[in-house]
Amino acid sequence: MASVTLSKLRKSYGRMDVIHGVDVEIADGEFVVLVGPSGCGKSTLLRMIAGLESITGGEVLIGDRVVNDLEPKDRDIAMVFQNYALYPHMTVAANMGFSLEHRGTPKAEIAKRVKWAAEILGLDEMLERYPRQLSGGQRQRVAMGRAIVRDPQVFLFDEPLSNLDAKLRVVMRGEIKSLHQRLKTTTVYVTHDQVEAMTMADKIVVLNGGRVEQIGAPLELYDRPANKFVAGFIGSPAMNFIPGQITASGFAADGALLPLPEAAHDLPPRPMLYGIRPEHFALTSEGLAATVELVEPMGSETQVTMRLGGTPVIGAFRERVRAEPGETIRVRPEIASVHLFDSDSGKRAN
């Protein structure tokens, strides 16, 4: 196992810059998730670590070695791809052991490692099957087994669950996290799914336009987003943003006066965004009047799209809300959970 350090890492295609001086420290044994919207540079960054993309500037260190100019096979990493990349004419056992065979590892040692990995992944009964005889989840396990048998210093996962259905994704992300807890191998995992990031990561790196927006533990990013982008990306449903301004009486928005934390009254008056997560609205007879536009029962909660003053927002309530569109309900934001962002820069203000 080893740490991974990205120092002032840059990537350009001709005159187009796609990675802009990224700095990330990944500790030995840590599970780090690179997350962000499509095109933000997360897969490019992972491929630079793997040696599949050249580096325009900066350094990649695995342990204490600068690996910028090393071939992928010399970096002691193993990568699991989105499309499994299995050999269709080989059995599960042959697929898992192929990289070891290519290195000249003795057959007895290959068989031992394949058996060990198969037991961990529940593939014991499938070693003589071919990829076409497996489900999507089983194929992904084989791809993971092929990485495990190499006993690398670092695992790299590039959106490995995106081809699976929703139920199987939930199962597989639990299996990958459990695997990490058992093996303790440093892991860098790429996804665009912020739920995957929140549930799996020790640390999340939020990327946007080839730049790091924030690095932190999942709940740190959820509770204290550094800016509007992170606040809107982390959390599902997304955070509500209500434009307005701080006044002596509260936060003056279009047609509504919202409560503020005590400390926020010391902020200078300027255009700001009032951030409140859907689950941080409470139903109360003494709350603010909100006009219902859509009610979506989700089972464990009810999501309500409503208009608060002139701004559409979403509330997520544990109660069963039976209001019809056009009716008025009363809601109160939890003051301790209010986030304020500068309207121009998007940076957190409180």
Side-chain angles (χ1 to χ4, degrees), residues 30-53:
E30 201 167 29
F31 193 120
V32 171
V33 175
L34 309 180
V35 70
S38 296
C40 71
K42 54 189 183 295
S43 288
T44 301
L45 209 56
L46 193 76
R47 290 172 64 85
M48 291 166 77
I49 297 171
L52 301 175
E53 288 279 357

Side-chain angles (χ1 to χ4, degrees), residues 222-259:
Y222 183 84
D223 292 334
R224 296 287 296 176
N227 53 46
K228 179 178 179 284
F229 178 83
V230 176
F233 192 83
I234 299 294
S236 181
M239 184 182 288
N240 299 294
F241 298 105
I242 304 171
Q245 187 163 311
I246 292 174
T247 70
S249 304
F251 188 87
D254 181 12
L257 186 66
L258 304 171

